[in-house]
Amino acid sequence: GVRARIDRPAGVPVLLSVRGGAGSVELDGKQVGGTSGLALSTPGADKATDRISIEVTGGASRLKVGTLG
């Protein structure tokens, strides 16, 4: 299956949406398994004007979003 890792600078908030399903999703060390229709975010991401928005519409076996360094 498809595996993806996305790294961002520390302190940058993230909104993450998974629509197509994923076997495993990890956001900043917090792991969720067997997901579809999932929405996760880091603290303050919903109100931040500078943030990263990630939307996964296809399937993935593993998706990991974390920070650089």
Side-chain angles (χ1 to χ4, degrees):
V2 176
R3 297 173 62 138
R5 179 183 173 109
I6 300 169
D7 291 316
R8 69 186 194 289
V12 176
V14 173
L15 294 174
L16 173 62
S17 172
V18 179
R19 296 178 188 222
S24 172
V25 174
E26 184 178 322
L27 176 59
D28 288 350
K30 181 178 168 182
Q31 188 166 342
V32 180
T35 59
S36 180
L38 174 72
L40 295 174
S41 64
T42 57
D46 55 337
K47 297 180 187 205
T49 55
D50 293 323
R51 65 179 177 225
I52 296 173
S53 295
I54 302 167
E55 183 175 338
V56 179
T57 57
S61 64
R62 180 165 169 76
L63 174 61
K64 185 173 183 177
V65 180
T67 56
L68 297 170

